Amino acid sequence: MDLNSASTVVLQVLTQATSQDTAVLKPAEEQLKQWETQPGFYSVLLNIFTNHDLDVNVRWLAVLYFKNGIDRYWRRVAPHALSEEEKSTLRAGLITNFNEPINQIATQIAVLIAKVARLDCPRQWPELIPILIESVKVQDDLRQHRALLTFYHVTKTLASKRLAADRKLFYDLASGIYNFACSLWNHHTDTFLQHISSGNEAAALNSLERTLLSLKVLRKLTVNGFMEPHENMEVMGFLHGIFDRLKQFLECSRSVDTDTVFRDKLEKTIILFTKVLLDFLDQHPFSFTPLIQRSLEFSVSYVFTEVGEGVTFERFIVQCMNLIKMIVKNYAYKPSKNFEDSSPETLEAHKIKMAFFTYPTLTEICRRLVSHYFLLTEEELTMWEEDPEGFTVEETGGDSWKYSLRPCTEVLFIDIFHEYNQTLTPVLLEMMQRLQGPTNVEDMNALLIKDAVYNAIGLAAFELFDSVDFDQWFKNQLLPELQVTHNRYKPLRRRVIWLIGQWVSVKFKSDLRPMLYEAICNLLQDQDLVVRIETATTLKLIFLNYSLPVDDFEFRTDQFLPYLETMFTLLFQLLQQVTECDTKMHVLHVLSCVIERVNMQIRPYVGCLVQYLPLLWKQSEEHNMLRCAILTTLIHLVQGLGADSKNLYPFLLPVIQLSTDVSQPPHVYLLEDGLELWLVTLENSPCITPELLRIFQNMPPLLEQSSENLRTCFKIINSYIFLSSTEFLQTYAAGLCQSFCELLNDITTEGQVQVLKVVENALKVNPVLGSQIFQPILPCVFRGIIEGERYPVVMSTYLGVMGRVMLQNTSFFSSLLNVMAHKCNQEMDQLLGNMIEMWVDRMDNITQPERRKLSALALLSLLPSDNSVIQDKFCGIINISVEGLHDVMTEDPETRTYKDCMLMSHLEEPKATEDEEPPTEQDKRKKMLALKDPVHTVSLQQFTYEKLKAQQELLGEQGFQSLMETVDTEIVTQLQEFLQGF
């Protein structure tokens, strides 16, 4: 591409590519895409975006195309890679002038220079760093700033490289330029402070921008540029100097107006100082040891004493608290239980920590956290009144929650309390003791103090386990406080029910639960929405925590049932009342927990919810996460309703259809829950319906995805087979068999087993139809057996499938044997002998008792026979039969006789305990199927006797005796023991 002639054409096309008219825009984009691989194209782009007389939008687009070209074509090995000659020209052109007047374009140019540097610096671009260093020294403000901006982006990019050779190069670079970077930063910082003291805010802002950029460079060099930074005096000198600089900048903030560009930039610089310390502590904890004392003194004085008054701001306090927390929690600073096993560096750091965190210091930190930082602020109380749902979302972890002060203070409290609980427990207990009894509703400050202390007691629940008699406190103090209905007392009602939620998983007697349920019923009728939402949260915690079958943590349905109707009704009313998507999701989750806990006993009370969910589903069309919560609720609802869930099908089936249709965009969010809902719907369905059968049209694309949901997909297929094998297989067999054949070739061993289990279940439910439909798969199974499949779990499933065919569809097995003999060019008898031999050899691969008995029945079904091959393998057949008898026979100690433990009858109905979930419709179908299954209806003991008797009659006594002599005498003895009485 000739530069002179091409520049005009490229400029014209770039101009068209900035058009809002798609008729002009699309052809221009296509033309630019074709030019991407043309030699000289990027030189033309460089000329265009460095020409300040051209339109800004055109220059911006030229920079972006240049930047994308670096990603695609700069590497030597890339297809259509740029020539070394052109790259050399481009590198030189990029750093000729640092005079870009437009900030956004200047940033993009700095980024693309950094991208080239990542690939070429220093080997192919040794002059880059020296030129940048010289350029940041010039007096011209614009050139200096742009060079410094580029210097930062280059340093940031080189610091991010992780290969050992690249790290070494960056270490060398950092050592070479660190002194200069420090001098540059000090120069700009001193200049900024001089301008501030003289009152020249415009010049100060200019200098502050350079201070910020040079500090960003130093941050990357300090944190990433040295293997052992504590051995470098310049690095440690810079880090020690940060604290004094921070004090200077914080003092500057006193005189700067809020909500200004200058204030924003100043706060960013202050925060960057703290980031340097935090990053350095994270990457080099032992190098940070000399800074521990100063960091703690500085942070504690500004956060927990009057020193910080008037100069600190929320983000700075958060950073200081994070610094304290990282020092307190740092694993490198914690000695082993046996001090002698700890490194000297660890012991030194631990000693500094212990010397700092004295009793007075810890006490003051604890008191300040609780009495100052835990207090609800005016802003929070206003938000409570004006936007109660927004308040609860913020309190429970909204988008901005992790960046705000409250969660940071709570996490710091938890960490310090855990680390120094012996010191701080008496302090907190004393604060708690002072607050016994009711609080005057007119004294808002006292109410907020109590709220803060209760917050601390909830956060420290695990640490206070042995120090607080919570059961007595609940009865004597907390329960009466929940009964104070005055509007000004609502912060405490909310806090108390939250506090109980924290303690239920720690210490709460089972006998007290009815009192708690009664209180929850009352609070769900509270006049305040925030209190009601917090109460619902505590109820959820109760259900989630009372899951262990241990003493006080075992959920007792009988205790909860008297309150079920009231609670469910009130929770449903709350669901209708709240309007925020997050809150609706939260309340739905609570309702799901209730339904899950009481299961079928929810049936009388769900009518209102069943009527409301279709409306909520329609309203939530744009809120996929809320729809996920609805799906979860429906899952528990279907499980609770059992066969009655069929009444939900007009709403339920379209929901499943949409959620599992991969051609619909929402499936990205809904698929996993949608598949689970599909599965439980099938498991609880009393019978197949045309609509339920039609949904299976969604399955073939899901099987093609081979995703993490494949296991659930196979469960769904199995459920259809159990529900209505004939209709299902006749409708979808051809496509399903084709999908299975494709899957068997390219999925994991586990996936192959899942496919084969479907075939096995189809044969179990309907041996004749199953054999016909999955006929294309069975030769693969047969071949896998005779070739000795190497994966035991796959071989076990192969044998299970073939056992079903042999035992329950003998004629089909004979035809399959005939087909395989032709394919393998062998005699049928020879092939049968090979299969029996491999079966006997790999019997140990089968671990499931059901399949082991099936193997014995299947091989015994070959008897009686005068076939020489079967007689030749008679010993192996008897061995497997005896193994099977050992697996399934249990001895009656009174009669000394044996009984097949796998036999089932219609009379055997297992007694479900109170806490066991009732059987689903699918469980009942499986039970009915088992009552027809030879594995559960045929006595292996009797079957063995009858087959051996028939073989004896066929061969005569002498012939049969000769056959038995081929069996090991020990095996014969065991066989005779099992067959006593016949």
Side-chain angles (χ1 to χ4, degrees):
M1 187 177 274
D2 178 64
L3 283 181
N4 294 326
S5 59
S7 290
T8 305
V9 179
V10 173
L11 180 59
Q12 183 181 358
V13 175
L14 280 170
T15 305
Q16 292 168 349
T18 62
S19 171
Q20 300 297 312
D21 185 351
T22 53
V24 177
L25 172 66
K26 290 296 180 185
E29 287 181 336
E30 285 298 318
Q31 181 60 70
L32 289 166
K33 188 171 182 61
Q34 291 175 18
W35 284 339
E36 280 182 358
T37 56
Q38 290 291 313
F41 176 59
Y42 295 97
S43 298
V44 173
L45 290 177
L46 177 63
N47 285 345
I48 289 172
F49 71 69
T50 54
N51 185 345
H52 304 160
D53 295 330
L54 298 177
D55 179 73
V56 170
N57 293 324
V58 173
R59 294 174 57 227
W60 170 262
L61 198 58
V63 171
L64 293 184
Y65 269 93
F66 193 106
K67 190 172 72 170
N68 292 337
I70 295 170
D71 292 332
R72 292 173 188 161
Y73 309 115
W74 198 274
R75 287 181 172 84
R76 293 179 183 177
V77 295
H80 310 292
L82 276 73
S83 68
E84 292 302 315
E85 182 182 359
E86 184 173 3
K87 287 199 290 187
S88 179
T89 304
L90 292 172
R91 284 194 295 262
L94 285 170
I95 54 175
T96 301
N97 290 302
F98 296 100
N99 61 348
E100 172 55 52
I102 307 298
N103 286 333
Q104 293 89 335
I105 295 177
T107 301
Q108 290 302 318
I109 293 172
V111 169
L112 69 85
I113 290 173
K115 282 179 175 288
V116 175
R118 184 179 183 86
L119 300 170
D120 289 359
C121 185
R123 292 187 176 90
Q124 286 81 38
W125 208 1
E127 67 273 21
L128 173 62
I129 301 298
I131 287 176
L132 286 173
I133 288 174
E134 288 304 312
S135 299
V136 298
K137 295 177 183 176
V138 299
Q139 296 303 308
D140 183 282
D141 279 353
L142 180 64
R143 292 176 188 273
Q144 185 188 70
H145 179 273
R146 299 315 190 217
L148 192 51
L149 179 67
T150 307
F151 190 25
Y152 160 61
H153 281 285
V154 168
T155 309
K156 176 183 176 183
T157 300
L158 295 180
S160 68
K161 298 178 79 172
R162 288 291 170 260
L163 293 177
D166 294 326
R167 303 295 311 132
K168 175 68 169 61
L169 286 172
F170 191 69
Y171 291 154
D172 294 341
L173 171 67
S175 298
I177 66 172
Y178 197 84
N179 182 266
F180 168 75
C182 276
S183 300
L184 187 68
W185 171 67
N186 277 314
H187 166 71
H188 288 305
T189 304
D190 290 337
T191 304
F192 162 73
L193 292 171
Q194 287 166 12
H195 288 315
I196 280 288
S197 63
S198 64
N200 189 344
E201 191 168 302
L205 179 60
N206 200 19
S207 297
L208 183 58
E209 177 67 31
R210 285 152 182 74
T211 301
L212 186 59
L213 283 172
S214 54
L215 183 56
K216 285 180 177 181
V217 172
L218 264 181
R219 177 190 178 194
K220 294 300 176 184
L221 294 175
T222 303
V223 174
N224 303 106
F226 299 90
M227 182 81 78
E228 302 288 349
H230 60 279
E231 295 176 358
N232 188 300
M233 290 178 62
E234 290 176 334
V235 171
M236 298 311 292
F238 162 67
L239 290 167
H240 279 290
I242 281 180
F243 301 102
D244 292 329
R245 288 299 198 188
L246 260 172
K247 289 178 181 178
Q248 291 174 321
F249 275 70
L250 286 165
E251 282 303 313
C252 290
S253 67
R254 287 186 191 274
S255 57
V256 177
D257 293 334
T258 57
D259 300 326
T260 62
V261 173
F262 186 76
R263 175 79 188 197
D264 181 60
K265 192 74 71 177
L266 182 60
E267 290 189 358
K268 280 184 178 178
T269 308
I270 291 169
I271 293 303
L272 188 58
F273 280 120
T274 63
K275 284 182 177 179
V276 174
L277 294 170
L278 286 165
D279 289 353
F280 191 76
L281 171 56
D282 181 58
Q283 294 296 316
H284 308 282
F286 289 129
S287 295
F288 191 87
T289 300
L291 300 163
I292 291 176
Q293 178 77 19
R294 190 81 187 276
S295 298
L296 290 172
E297 289 173 350
F298 177 86
S299 299
V300 169
S301 66
Y302 273 92
V303 175
F304 296 111
T305 73
E306 66 281 354
V307 171
E309 290 177 8
V311 295
T312 57
F313 51 96
E314 186 169 300
R315 185 96 190 274
F316 172 71
I317 294 171
V318 167
Q319 292 292 91
C320 287
M321 287 186 173
N322 284 336
L323 190 57
I324 298 168
K325 181 184 71 176
M326 281 183 69
I327 293 171
V328 168
K329 283 188 70 177
N330 204 301
Y331 183 76
Y333 301 159
K334 292 187 178 182
S336 306
K337 287 186 178 178
N338 184 358
F339 263 59
E340 295 174 0
D341 296 337
S342 305
S343 68
E345 294 85 358
T346 297
L347 293 176
E348 182 187 356
H350 179 69
K351 183 180 176 183
I352 296 169
K353 272 174 55 180
M354 295 304 291
F356 178 81
F357 286 112
T358 60
Y359 176 79
T361 301
L362 286 169
T363 304
E364 184 58 26
I365 289 174
C366 180
R367 290 189 189 282
R368 287 279 291 182
L369 279 170
V370 176
S371 63
H372 179 69
Y373 288 107
F374 280 12
L375 291 181
L376 287 169
T377 64
E378 283 294 330
E379 291 81 1
E380 287 169 325
L381 291 171
T382 301
M383 189 178 188
W384 183 326
E385 295 297 333
E386 296 177 357
D387 182 14
E389 289 186 57
F391 174 82
T392 59
V393 169
E394 283 290 314
E395 284 286 298
T396 54
D399 291 339
S400 61
W401 185 81
K402 62 182 178 181
Y403 303 110
S404 63
L405 183 56
R406 178 167 297 282
C408 183
T409 60
E410 291 178 352
V411 170
L412 178 62
F413 174 82
I414 292 168
D415 291 336
I416 287 182
F417 204 95
H418 176 75
E419 192 74 13
Y420 304 102
N421 63 79
Q422 289 187 336
T423 303
L424 293 178
T425 294
V427 177
L428 190 54
L429 290 178
E430 183 201 345
M431 296 171 79
M432 172 182 158
Q433 201 64 39
R434 287 184 192 164
L435 300 173
Q436 294 301 316
T439 304
N440 184 354
V441 294
E442 301 302 325
D443 189 347
M444 196 62 190
N445 186 57
L447 291 172
L448 293 180
I449 288 286
K450 183 179 270 194
D451 174 85
V453 173
Y454 282 5
N455 187 13
I457 295 168
L459 295 173
F462 284 97
E463 308 295 338
L464 295 172
F465 178 86
D466 292 321
S467 304
V468 174
D469 185 345
F470 190 78
D471 296 331
Q472 285 299 316
W473 196 43
F474 168 75
K475 286 190 292 185
N476 299 333
Q477 173 77 16
L478 300 182
L479 208 51
E481 296 211 84
L482 289 178
Q483 293 161 359
V484 180
T485 58
H486 196 285
N487 184 52
R488 290 171 67 88
Y489 217 78
K490 64 187 179 186
L492 273 181
R493 290 198 300 277
R494 166 186 166 268
R495 180 59 69 192
V496 168
I497 197 64
W498 170 88
L499 172 63
I500 294 167
Q502 304 308 300
W503 274 85
V504 288
S505 62
V506 178
K507 193 185 212 179
F508 195 75
K509 276 204 183 321
S510 173
D511 296 345
L512 296 176
R513 265 179 254 160
M515 295 170 68
L516 176 56
Y517 294 149
E518 183 76 37
I520 287 173
C521 287
N522 292 331
L523 287 175
L524 285 173
Q525 301 171 70
D526 196 276
Q527 59 188 342
D528 185 77
L529 181 59
V530 173
V531 174
R532 296 202 297 279
I533 294 171
E534 191 65 65
T535 304
T537 305
T538 295
L539 184 59
K540 181 180 74 173
L541 289 173
I542 292 170
F543 286 129
L544 294 177
N545 285 309
Y546 288 157
S547 57
L548 301 172
V550 181
D551 301 332
D552 292 332
F553 297 107
E554 186 176 7
F555 180 77
R556 285 174 49 189
T557 310
D558 62 305
Q559 287 183 321
F560 183 70
L561 284 179
Y563 309 94
L564 173 59
E565 181 178 5
T566 303
M567 275 197 204
F568 197 84
T569 303
L570 293 169
L571 284 169
F572 174 66
Q573 290 172 2
L574 181 60
L575 176 65
Q576 288 179 298
Q577 182 182 359
V578 296
T579 57
E580 293 291 329
C581 181
D582 286 338
T583 322
K584 282 191 179 289
M585 284 168 54
H586 178 61
V587 179
L588 267 176
H589 190 194
V590 181
L591 281 164
S592 295
C593 288
V594 173
I595 297 168
E596 184 182 18
R597 274 293 174 204
V598 300
N599 205 285
M600 294 173 64
Q601 293 175 93
I602 198 65
R603 292 180 183 181
Y605 315 116
V606 295
C608 54
L609 181 63
V610 167
Q611 290 176 359
Y612 177 65
L613 285 178
L615 174 63
L616 185 59
W617 179 265
K618 188 175 182 180
Q619 291 173 342
S620 62
E621 192 169 352
E622 302 300 318
H623 303 284
N624 287 308
M625 298 314 293
L626 177 53
R627 284 195 158 184
C628 286
I630 296 172
L631 288 172
T632 303
T633 305
L634 285 171
I635 289 167
H636 295 304
L637 203 51
V638 169
Q639 289 170 328
L641 291 172
D644 290 346
S645 61
K646 187 180 177 183
N647 298 326
L648 298 181
Y649 284 5
F651 166 55
L652 195 61
L653 300 189
V655 166
I656 296 171
Q657 167 72 39
L658 174 71
S659 305
T660 60
D661 185 350
V662 296
S663 67
Q664 297 289 335
H667 90 274
V668 175
Y669 304 94
L670 308 179
L671 181 59
E672 187 174 348
D673 292 319
L675 286 171
E676 191 64 33
L677 178 59
W678 190 357
L679 177 60
V680 299
T681 300
L682 289 166
E683 288 174 342
N684 289 278
S685 178
C687 60
I688 196 73
T689 68
E691 296 79 13
L692 191 54
L693 194 61
R694 198 175 304 123
I695 296 177
F696 195 79
Q697 294 171 0
N698 283 2
M699 185 58 71
L702 290 166
L703 294 176
E704 288 172 16
Q705 285 186 342
S706 295
S707 67
E708 64 275 8
N709 295 309
L710 212 51
R711 181 187 287 269
T712 310
C713 290
F714 283 120
K715 287 181 180 178
I716 288 168
I717 296 167
N718 282 318
S719 292
Y720 271 108
I721 289 172
F722 291 129
L723 179 60
S724 180
S725 61
T726 304
E727 283 182 80
F728 171 66
L729 290 175
Q730 286 176 345
T731 307
Y732 293 107
L736 195 59
C737 193
Q738 182 182 346
S739 295
F740 281 4
C741 289
E742 292 169 2
L743 282 170
L744 285 170
N745 292 325
D746 61 8
I747 57 174
T748 62
T749 301
E750 184 186 351
Q752 292 176 19
V753 170
Q754 295 296 329
V755 170
L756 293 167
K757 279 183 178 177
V758 173
V759 178
E760 188 177 15
N761 284 327
L763 291 167
K764 190 187 296 186
V765 174
N766 195 327
V768 175
L769 184 59
S771 301
Q772 291 172 353
I773 284 169
F774 292 112
Q775 185 174 355
I777 292 174
L778 293 175
C780 165
V781 174
F782 195 100
R783 186 177 292 107
I785 294 172
I786 60 174
E787 292 177 358
E789 164 63 45
R790 64 194 180 109
Y791 291 108
V793 67
V794 178
M795 186 63 164
S796 170
T797 320
Y798 279 162
L799 295 173
V801 169
M802 197 52 60
R804 289 284 168 192
V805 177
M806 285 175 64
L807 183 62
Q808 295 178 264
N809 198 352
T810 310
S811 60
F812 184 86
F813 177 71
S814 299
S815 64
L816 175 64
L817 197 58
N818 187 32
V819 169
M820 293 305 297
H822 283 295
K823 282 188 177 182
C824 300
N825 199 21
Q826 293 184 29
E827 292 294 325
M828 284 178 62
D829 287 349
Q830 182 187 355
L831 205 58
L832 178 60
N834 291 343
M835 188 193 76
I836 296 171
E837 188 172 330
M838 188 58 69
W839 205 316
V840 173
D841 183 58
R842 301 293 291 275
M843 182 67 175
D844 286 343
N845 288 168
I846 306 176
T847 55
Q848 302 92 330
E850 184 182 78
R851 276 202 195 134
R852 289 178 69 82
K853 179 177 176 180
L854 176 65
S855 291
L857 292 171
L859 291 177
L860 281 168
S861 71
L862 297 172
L863 302 178
S865 175
D866 57 3
N867 185 306
S868 60
V869 171
I870 292 177
Q871 292 188 17
D872 185 49
K873 306 301 179 187
F874 181 79
C875 172
I877 294 172
I878 296 302
N879 285 347
I880 284 183
S881 301
V882 172
E883 278 193 46
L885 287 165
H886 276 294
D887 291 331
V888 303
M889 301 304 287
T890 55
E891 186 179 7
D892 187 327
E894 292 182 8
T895 63
R896 305 288 292 174
T897 56
Y898 287 97
K899 177 187 174 186
D900 189 333
C901 67
M902 297 195 75
L903 291 179
M904 294 174 64
S905 73
H906 290 275
L907 302 175
E908 291 180 16
E909 282 295 334
K911 294 180 181 178
T913 64
E914 182 186 336
D915 293 325
E916 279 185 330
E917 291 184 7
T920 64
E921 294 300 303
Q922 181 160 298
D923 292 331
K924 296 173 187 176
R925 287 190 282 271
K926 286 182 177 180
K927 172 71 186 297
M928 296 304 296
L929 179 61
L931 293 172
K932 300 174 186 175
D933 186 348
V935 172
H936 297 293
T937 57
V938 175
S939 164
L940 180 57
Q941 183 187 32
Q942 186 170 343
F943 193 71
T944 305
Y945 171 77
E946 290 173 356
K947 288 297 180 179
L948 291 178
K949 187 72 175 171
Q951 187 70 27
Q952 184 182 35
E953 291 172 357
L954 177 67
L955 298 181
E957 183 65 39
Q958 188 175 352
F960 180 70
Q961 199 57 42
S962 299
L963 204 57
M964 288 299 294
E965 287 173 0
T966 64
V967 183
D968 184 84
T969 55
E970 179 62 30
I971 298 295
V972 172
T973 303
Q974 294 172 22
L975 179 64
Q976 289 170 343
E977 283 185 30
F978 282 122
L979 299 184
Q980 279 179 0
F982 283 94

